[in-house]
Amino acid sequence: MAETARGRRRAVLRDERITLAHGAGGKATRDLVEALFLEELGNEALAPLGDSAVVPPAGGRLAVTTDSYVVRPLVFPGGDIGELAVNGTVNDLAVAGARPLWLTAGFVLEEGLPVELLREIVRSMACAATRAGVPVAAGDTKVVERGEADGLYLTTAGVGVLEHDLELVPARVSPGDRVLLSGTLADHGMAVMIARGDLHLEGDVASDTAPVHELTAALLGLGEDLRWMRDPTRGGLATVLNELTASSGLAVRLRESALPVRPAVFAACEILGIDPLYVANEGKLVAVVAPGAADDALAALRAQPLGADAVEIGMVEAEPRGMVLLDTALGGSRIVDLLVGDPLPRIC
């Protein structure tokens, strides 16, 4: 019988599917936690499996974020729910100007979920955490009855440290500032929609899920010339820019000709009648920088593999207050308002 260093029997997970016993707090729970989660995500902070993780002091201002993931299907071209959860939380910290330090993860498992699928997702999560240099320090697992959770729901929280004095808030944005985008639009949302198969679409489209912390670190080198950053996830670029104009009382004018959309993604959006501006991205950032810093900012982004397609897409204006406008390729302009309804449910 396999034993741990302390002489206790090493946990072995023999079940092929998740059962309600895995959420009951007994032997099955211990086997699941130790033989799957701890085996895949193990690190010094997580190893004690206490009610709280004890981590070193950060030495600066802290950023804290949390998010839940209910994407369907759980695995899609370019990623899965585990990788998505890690990258999404890392990115929320990164665009706040923080260096991500620690993650926590809460798993809601559905009775009947294949254990091998769960292991695949947790392993993918571990790989994403390693890539970003951000350990999963604590977690929790619950099991619900069959049919109640679409297989798996996942909630992550993150803590990061701000190692500078910049305030990346809408109040620092000024007329004349430039709006930059780190890469192509709508890849994630369209990849998930095509993967579902409900709409009988085909296309070589993969999610862009990736950590953007190296991109944000490069932009932080601009100092005061960096005004504001966000990751355009649910609701897309249009939503985060509307939030910016609402908070700042300024306007943003975009150039349609500058917006980067892959041909296959554009075709899928055309078929579905969806504007790529409103589709979620999971490995991109939008930044506002001072006019004189735009070239340096683009160079910094393009020097990173994830920022190779970075472009300037528009600028900040004083009027019309609180609005986002798009100059079209045909020479006109239109208002880019907040999204009404949810044309792409359950994509993140």
Side-chain angles (χ1 to χ4, degrees):
M1 179 181 296
E3 293 186 351
T4 66
R6 296 179 180 178
R8 183 165 60 84
R9 186 186 69 83
R10 186 182 302 276
V12 177
L13 182 60
R14 295 188 173 88
D15 302 281
E16 294 184 357
R17 292 186 177 273
I18 295 298
T19 69
L20 292 177
H22 288 114
K27 178 181 178 298
T29 301
R30 190 198 71 184
D31 289 346
L32 176 65
V33 170
E34 294 188 5
L36 194 153
F37 291 111
L38 186 58
E39 180 175 317
E40 299 295 342
L41 298 171
N43 57 75
E44 290 184 3
L46 183 63
L49 295 178
D51 288 339
S52 299
V54 178
V55 297
R61 292 184 297 157
L62 295 180
V64 180
T65 187
T66 188
D67 207 347
S68 295
Y69 295 85
V70 296
V71 63
R72 180 175 59 85
L74 298 176
V75 180
F76 44 82
D80 57 45
I81 190 172
E83 180 181 2
L84 184 67
V86 170
N87 291 337
T89 302
V90 166
N91 293 348
D92 285 345
L93 294 170
V95 295
R99 178 170 61 89
L101 294 177
W102 305 98
L103 299 176
T104 70
F107 295 82
V108 177
L109 309 177
E110 181 185 350
E111 178 188 12
L113 176 70
V115 168
E116 277 308 305
L117 175 58
L118 176 60
R119 186 178 292 278
E120 174 187 340
I121 289 170
V122 176
R123 183 171 295 154
S124 175
M125 192 174 188
C127 289
T130 298
R131 179 184 177 190
V134 187
V136 177
D140 186 46
T141 304
K142 295 292 187 295
V143 179
V144 297
E145 291 82 356
R146 190 182 301 268
E148 298 295 324
D150 258 359
L152 167 63
Y153 297 149
L154 183 51
T155 295
T156 46
V159 177
V161 60
L162 288 87
E163 299 168 315
H164 54 80
D165 296 325
L166 293 176
E167 296 287 344
L168 302 177
V169 294
R172 294 190 59 245
V173 174
S174 301
D177 286 347
R178 301 303 196 261
V179 182
L180 311 182
L181 180 66
S182 67
T184 54
L185 290 171
D187 297 337
H188 174 72
M190 286 299 101
V192 172
M193 288 300 293
I194 292 172
R196 285 180 187 164
D198 300 342
L199 303 173
H200 305 290
L201 293 176
E202 294 183 1
D204 185 16
V205 178
S207 171
D208 61 339
T209 178
V212 301
H213 61 301
E214 293 178 350
L215 296 179
T216 59
L219 290 180
L220 287 170
L222 299 173
E224 294 291 334
D225 285 338
L226 177 61
R227 313 292 202 205
W228 175 89
M229 294 188 291
R230 283 287 298 276
D231 57 331
T233 54
R234 184 173 50 183
L237 178 66
T239 296
V240 298
L241 290 180
N242 270 280
E243 292 171 351
L244 171 63
T245 57
S247 297
S248 66
L250 299 172
V252 168
R253 184 175 296 274
L254 301 174
R255 300 190 310 277
E256 186 177 44
S257 60
L259 298 174
V261 184
R262 300 184 195 279
V265 172
F266 182 81
C269 288
E270 284 278 287
I271 292 170
L272 296 176
I274 296 172
D275 190 332
L277 286 169
Y278 294 96
V279 180
N281 314 270
E282 293 292 346
K284 303 298 191 308
L285 67 83
V286 56
V288 175
V289 302
D295 289 343
D296 288 343
L298 286 173
L301 290 173
R302 291 169 180 167
Q304 304 289 332
L306 283 179
D309 296 322
V311 289
E312 180 181 322
I313 58 173
M315 66 182 296
V316 178
E317 299 182 345
E319 301 288 345
R321 292 169 59 86
M323 297 185 68
V324 179
L325 303 176
L326 178 71
D327 290 339
T328 69
L330 297 177
S333 65
R334 65 178 176 88
I335 296 172
V336 179
D337 209 344
L338 281 171
L339 181 68
V340 177
D342 187 4
L344 295 170
R346 304 286 300 281
I347 59 174
C348 58

